[in-house]
Amino acid sequence: SSGLECWNLWQSFADKEGFILLCPTIPGDANGYSQDVGENAVWSAISAVSKEYRIKPKIFLSGFSAGAFFIQGFHYHYPQAAGGLSILSSGIYLDPRMFSVYVPMLVVIGDRDNGTAVQTSKLFAGDLQTLGFDVKYEVIPGMGHTVNKNGINLTIDLFRNTLQEYN
C-alpha cells in the first residue's frame, strides 16, 4: 500500500483526534522494500514535520500487511522512538524477544486472512503476553486481508490510551 492509501484511510481520524499523520510511501519494487530505506523515509518525514511543529518525543506506529512487518523492524531498530504499535494483518512477525522496550501493542488479523498468518499472529501475541507486553489481540470474524472499521477503532483506542500515558 502507498502513503496515499494510508492518508485516505487515517486522515479523517487525525483531524478528529488532533494528531499529526505521516504516511510516507516507502520506495521499493515488486520484490518489496528495504527496511533501512523505509526507516530513512520515516525519519525524513519526522524531521520535516518537526521543523514546523513541536512534536512529542514518542511516535505511534500503525502498519498494514508489509507495513505491519515494517513497524516491527522499526521498533526493533529504534526501541525508544515508538510509544505504541498497531500491527494490522502482518503475514510475518519478528521474534518478540527482539523487542527491548515494552510498549503497548495491538495485533489484529481477520479470520479469513491467510491461515498460516492467523496462526502465527496468535503465537506472536501469546509470546508478547508471556514476555510481559501490554498487548491486545483481536481476530476479526469474516475479515480477509484488509483493514476494516473494527481494526481502525481498535487502533484509535490504542492511540488514545498511549497518548494518555505520555501526557
Side-chain angles (χ1 to χ4, degrees), residues 116-129:
T116 301
V118 174
Q119 288 302 316
T120 307
S121 71
K122 183 177 182 179
L123 294 171
F124 176 72
D127 287 348
L128 285 170
Q129 289 170 335

Side-chain angles (χ1 to χ4, degrees), residues 2-70:
S2 71
L4 182 57
E5 290 172 88
C6 167
W7 184 266
N8 290 335
L9 179 64
W10 294 106
Q11 182 53 42
S12 65
F13 298 99
D15 287 344
K16 279 189 250 175
E17 300 291 330
F19 60 86
I20 297 171
L21 176 66
L22 298 179
C23 296
T25 297
I26 297 174
D29 57 29
N31 296 319
Y33 62 88
S34 174
Q35 182 75 27
D36 62 336
V37 171
E39 290 170 358
N40 288 338
V42 169
W43 286 119
S44 291
I46 291 170
S47 177
V49 168
S50 68
K51 289 177 183 166
E52 299 200 26
Y53 300 94
R54 284 189 352 200
I55 59 174
K56 301 266 184 199
K58 295 276 186 187
I59 55 178
F60 181 84
L61 299 169
S62 179
F64 166 71
S65 194
F69 182 68
F70 170 78

Side-chain angles (χ1 to χ4, degrees), residues 84-154:
L85 302 177
S86 172
I87 302 167
L88 306 172
S89 298
S90 186
I92 305 169
Y93 300 88
L94 292 181
D95 181 336
R97 293 172 295 185
M98 294 173 67
F99 301 128
S100 62
V101 174
Y102 293 90
V103 297
M105 291 192 201
L106 169 67
V107 179
V108 175
I109 196 160
D111 69 352
R112 293 192 180 167
D113 204 325
N114 174 286
T116 301
V118 174
Q119 288 302 316
T120 307
S121 71
K122 183 177 182 179
L123 294 171
F124 176 72
D127 287 348
L128 285 170
Q129 289 170 335
T130 299
L131 291 169
F133 280 85
D134 174 8
V135 61
K136 179 169 179 57
Y137 177 63
E138 193 80 30
V139 178
I140 300 177
M143 187 177 89
H145 191 68
T146 188
V147 178
N148 75 1
K149 192 173 189 170
N150 292 338
I152 291 169
N153 289 336
L154 290 165

